[in-house]
Amino acid sequence: MADPDKPQGPRRSIHAEVPSTIPVSSRVEPQGRRLLVIAGDRVSSHPLPQSGPFKLGRGEEVDLRVDDPSVSRDHACLYFNRNQIHVSDSGSSNGTRVRGRRLKGNERVPISAGETFEAGSVLLMVQDPFGAEASKAIVSRAGASTDDIVIQDRAMASLYQLAERVARSTINVLLLGETGVGKDVLARKIHAMSPRADKPFLPLNCGALTEQLLESELFGHEKGAFTGAVETKIGLLEAANEGTVFLDEVGELPMSVQVKLLRVLEERAVRRVGGLRSKPFDIRFLAATNRDLNQAIADGDFRSDLFYRLNGISLVIPPLRQRVGEIEGLAHKFIEDASKRAGQDRAPRLSDEALAWLRAHDWPGNIRELQNTIERAVLLCTGELITLEQLPVRMAAVGNTPAAGGTGGFGVVQAGGGEDDDPERRRILDALEHCAGNQTRAAKLLGISRNTLLARLDQYGIARPRKR
């Protein structure tokens, strides 16, 4: 009989996209779901199969080998069937825990993509591909709070639990999600929970600067390096030494800057534009984008080697429409904040109809759009109650009751069919009309970036208006 503690021969495996000693079965879909594994200070990401069972453990006859002393040789099993995911314990010594409860032997418990579970002391999370819609938003009635962050959704609570574990390491993190979901908030939270919390946190919006300005901001420049360089400038990478640099909208980096940033990441040293000497640095990089970088790589717009440098681990933040349980808490927080800024002694309350509309809205601009909507409503409210009159109610329906339009909206929908029936296109047209064609103000009103607004104008075939 073969010794179960001796390897029984070579097994097929592929390498994870991040440095790891954990091999993974070749029976996977590389562009599909992924499993994040945090074992002590090691963080790794692995592709998963689309269907069937997937065994986890420390032994040789499993699909994913997790080399951690708290994990048994055959520890747990994931089951994938269409959009359903289940996990079971395989009789492990230290147990498998889902939502804090230790599973009984061979008990199968459903979990959601974005929800963490534990195998021994190892934390794991199944993630859907970025851009894939979750089959169901799971709401936890017992919401948690992290400082001033509202967390009342189970998937978000798991995400922040995972972020706390990731924050302790030095691995680079790529934050993925639609515009306005709170990628910058999570980036600041990761820095605050990290050993670098008392060092600089320096953000850079890569989509807001020209190519020359981007280079100058990142790397700095010497006096006379280019026209307008009238004095020496210290770059972001020098200024943030021992701290964290947050590259927001990293998918918008020009290719020439990508090449230089890659060299900097590989050498861990920076040279100012026009300079002769490189200076070493110690920086933790966080990056964020709303773009599908895999598609950008395929299109030749983003370097794959830079992607793998920045994507030590990726965290996907779900859109607000999948976190309906958080809308009320966020709205109340934004009402309080807006009332204080407006110098009001007493913050107005939300009417039941207004709250129902907020929950029913699809929020294409996510949390940023919600915040702007609430701030506008607070400024328009003259009583103690925010009603539909102060919200941009346009179309149908909260439930089966027609929504009242009123002076609080951006306009009134005209009857008739055609492309104007698309609610997002209609909102964009209304915002532009409300802002007299000013695209920057319209983007702010919609809760999206100006670049995103311009992309939507092209998507819907809307001519870019001139300011009036």
Side-chain angles (χ1 to χ4, degrees), residues 202-221 226 233-238 245-261 264 270-273 285 288 291 301-302 306 451:
L202 296 180
L204 178 68
N205 188 330
C206 301
L209 299 174
T210 64
E211 183 174 338
Q212 188 180 67
L213 283 175
L214 265 173
E215 287 193 42
S216 176
E217 287 295 319
L218 273 173
F219 312 126
H221 63 253
F226 51 83
K233 175 181 171 61
I234 296 176
L236 202 65
L237 301 183
E238 281 188 70
V245 166
F246 175 46
L247 302 175
D248 198 8
E249 296 192 39
V250 72
E252 308 302 323
L253 279 176
M255 189 61 71
S256 62
V257 180
Q258 292 182 36
V259 173
K260 294 176 182 177
L261 179 59
V264 164
V270 61
R271 185 173 62 192
R272 296 174 188 169
V273 177
F285 285 91
R291 295 186 63 187
D301 296 330
F302 203 86
L306 177 59
N451 286 342

Side-chain angles (χ1 to χ4, degrees), residues 105-299:
N106 297 317
E107 174 191 9
R108 291 193 187 186
V109 174
I111 61 172
S112 300
E115 182 178 6
T116 55
F117 64 99
E118 297 170 78
S121 62
V122 175
L123 189 70
L124 305 104
M125 175 192 279
V126 175
Q127 284 189 312
D128 277 334
F130 176 50
E133 294 290 334
S135 59
K136 184 177 182 182
I138 299 182
V139 176
S140 171
R141 293 185 180 276
S145 176
T146 307
D147 297 334
D148 59 346
I149 301 172
V150 175
I151 303 175
Q152 292 177 312
D153 177 84
R154 185 182 297 164
M156 286 299 291
S158 295
L159 180 65
Y160 271 88
Q161 180 187 10
L162 181 63
E164 184 175 2
R165 296 281 291 267
V166 170
R168 301 171 193 165
S169 71
T170 59
I171 195 168
N172 295 335
V173 182
L174 181 62
L175 304 176
L176 303 173
E178 297 178 4
T179 297
V181 293
K183 298 186 290 293
D184 56 337
V185 174
L186 183 55
R188 292 177 186 277
K189 192 64 185 174
I190 290 173
H191 173 72
M193 294 186 294
S194 77
R196 300 170 183 259
D198 60 340
K199 302 298 182 181
F201 174 87
L202 296 180
L204 178 68
N205 188 330
C206 301
L209 299 174
T210 64
E211 183 174 338
Q212 188 180 67
L213 283 175
L214 265 173
E215 287 193 42
S216 176
E217 287 295 319
L218 273 173
F219 312 126
H221 63 253
E222 298 291 351
K223 182 178 179 181
F226 51 83
T227 303
V230 295
E231 58 183 17
T232 298
K233 175 181 171 61
I234 296 176
L236 202 65
L237 301 183
E238 281 188 70
N241 190 38
E242 298 185 344
T244 303
V245 166
F246 175 46
L247 302 175
D248 198 8
E249 296 192 39
V250 72
E252 308 302 323
L253 279 176
M255 189 61 71
S256 62
V257 180
Q258 292 182 36
V259 173
K260 294 176 182 177
L261 179 59
L262 176 64
R263 185 176 66 245
V264 164
L265 287 171
E266 290 174 340
E267 297 176 355
R268 308 301 294 180
V270 61
R271 185 173 62 192
R272 296 174 188 169
V273 177
L276 300 176
R277 293 184 302 170
S278 295
K279 294 185 178 182
F281 63 75
D282 171 24
I283 289 175
R284 204 261 185 91
F285 285 91
L286 307 177
T289 182
N290 60 2
R291 295 186 63 187
D292 183 345
L293 290 186
N294 285 312
Q295 186 60 50
I297 291 169
D299 293 340

Side-chain angles (χ1 to χ4, degrees), residues 341-415:
R341 284 194 295 271
Q344 299 178 4
D345 295 332
R346 188 173 181 180
R349 294 178 293 108
L350 273 175
S351 68
D352 292 342
E353 294 82 3
L355 179 58
W357 184 88
L358 293 175
R359 286 172 169 165
H361 187 52
D362 59 359
W363 300 110
N366 292 291
I367 295 175
R368 193 177 299 152
E369 182 187 358
L370 173 62
Q371 184 175 11
N372 289 338
T373 297
I374 293 298
E375 185 152 2
R376 177 178 177 274
V378 169
L379 293 175
L380 292 174
C381 184
T382 57
E384 297 182 352
L385 204 62
I386 293 175
T387 68
L388 292 175
E389 291 293 319
Q390 287 85 46
L391 297 175
V393 177
R394 303 206 30 80
M395 298 191 61
V398 177
N400 293 322
T401 305
T407 58
F410 297 150
V412 180
V413 170
Q414 301 297 321

